[in-house]
Amino acid sequence: MVDEKILKDEIMDDVELDGVAGGTHAEIIDDRNRLMKLGFYEKKPNQKFAVGIANALDKLGKATGYDFKFTSESNSGNVANTYFFNGKEVSRDKFWSLVDEFAPKK
């Protein structure tokens, strides 16, 4: 077996990793958990996570007056979710910072 070493310039930082990995099951679960903590996600039997998240974001939008949306290709493998604020695509980090900024505080 060849001894392969990872060079320093081959290591990705968190920003680079965020751009590569994503939309995955982990993102969906994290989105759901965040919306549950905010009180917008409603668990329903046999409801797909993406549908529940979309419904929760609709509720969040009604509560804040802002339009929060996302699309998920979770059935397509490791394809990142796409996030939108007031019709404009934003990064996942920006999306959640806007949610944190505008969501009603408990």
Side-chain angles (χ1 to χ4, degrees), residues 18 83-84 88-98:
D18 196 34
Y83 297 86
F84 301 89
K88 182 180 176 188
E89 185 174 341
V90 295
S91 71
R92 184 171 191 269
D93 288 340
K94 178 66 174 176
F95 180 86
W96 283 107
S97 72
L98 291 164

Side-chain angles (χ1 to χ4, degrees), residues 19-76:
V20 174
T24 57
H25 186 68
E27 266 188 2
I28 294 286
I29 297 298
D30 185 57
D31 292 347
R32 181 203 60 178
N33 291 343
R34 289 178 187 225
L35 289 163
M36 283 177 70
K37 284 181 185 175
L38 292 170
F40 290 100
Y41 187 92
E42 185 180 340
K43 285 186 179 183
K44 294 182 181 176
N46 301 317
Q47 175 178 263
K48 294 184 179 192
F49 287 140
V51 171
I53 292 167
N55 292 339
L57 292 175
D58 285 342
K59 289 179 188 175
L60 175 63
K62 289 176 184 166
T64 63
Y66 295 100
D67 186 31
F68 294 95
K69 301 279 186 217
F70 94 118
T71 60
S72 174
E73 301 294 330
S74 58
N75 294 332
S76 300

